[in-house]
Amino acid sequence: MRAGAWFPLLVAAALAEGAVQAEELKSSYFLVELSSGLAEPAYSHGDLSLSYGLTGGMTFKASKFPVRFYLLTTLIGRNGHADGSANGAVFSSDRHDVDLYWSLRLVFPVVAQFRLYAEGGLGHRWSFVSLRRSNDLPPLEARDSGLVGVLAVGAQYRVMQNLSLGLRA
C-alpha cells in the first residue's frame, strides 16, 4: 500500500453508516493532539515549510452551553529552506523554529461529529538559522528568541471517541 493511501480509507470509515453519532459520544476532559503539515515559508522567498507539533491540555464545558473550552500547551517546530544569490555570491540558508505557547481554544459543534474552532495564545519562539555561502566563505549561524502570538481557526471531524481529524489555518 502506498504511503498516504491509508488516509482515504480512514475518511471513508469515518463517514460510513456505522460511524458513531455525536450524541452517543462521551465528553473527554483531556486532549493530546499530534499535528503535522505545511506551514508558511520561513523566508519571504523560501519554500513551504514542514510543521510538526504536540498539544496537550484540559477541556471543560458549561452545562446547557454548546461551546467547549480547551486550555492547551503546544510545542511545535518548523523547518525552512531558501537558496539564492546576492551580489554574485550563491547562498543556501536553513531555519528551524521551535514554539512553546499556551492557548485557549473554543470549539463549536456544527452537525453530528463535525465542529469548528477558534484558538488564541501567547508563548515563546526560539529560532536557529544557518547560512552557507559560496567562494569558500565560512558558514554563518545565528540564534534568536522572542514572544510569539497565535491565532488559528480550524475544522474537525470526530471519527470515534478518541480520534478526530482536522484542518487548521
Side-chain angles (χ1 to χ4, degrees), residues 20-108:
V20 291
Q21 298 300 312
E23 52 272 7
E24 295 174 7
L25 295 176
K26 296 178 187 172
S27 295
S28 55
Y29 298 102
F30 299 99
L31 169 85
V32 175
E33 187 174 83
L34 298 174
S35 61
S36 183
L38 297 177
E40 75 276 3
Y43 300 100
S44 59
H45 298 292
D47 300 327
L48 287 176
S49 302
L50 176 64
S51 173
Y52 43 89
L54 174 66
T55 298
M58 298 176 15
T59 73
F60 58 94
K61 181 182 179 309
S63 68
K64 301 193 187 230
F65 188 62
V67 176
R68 179 167 285 279
F69 300 89
Y70 292 72
L71 295 174
L72 304 171
T73 300
T74 299
L75 179 64
I76 194 163
R78 177 180 70 169
N79 297 323
H81 180 80
D83 293 313
S85 64
N87 299 324
V90 177
F91 69 87
S92 177
S93 181
D94 290 305
R95 177 176 169 167
H96 307 283
D97 295 331
V98 176
D99 297 347
L100 176 63
Y101 63 89
W102 296 269
S103 62
L104 174 64
R105 181 183 293 177
L106 305 174
V107 178
F108 307 91

Side-chain angles (χ1 to χ4, degrees), residues 12-21 24 113 159:
L15 298 175
E17 183 82 23
V20 291
Q21 298 300 312
E24 295 174 7
Q113 296 92 307
V159 178

Side-chain angles (χ1 to χ4, degrees), residues 120-150:
L122 284 174
H124 198 82
R125 171 174 287 167
W126 293 270
S127 295
F128 310 93
V129 180
S130 64
L131 177 69
R132 291 170 304 288
R133 305 173 290 170
S134 62
N135 303 331
D136 296 324
L137 296 171
L140 300 174
E141 293 186 358
R143 296 174 186 260
D144 192 17
S145 66
L147 184 68
V148 65
V150 176

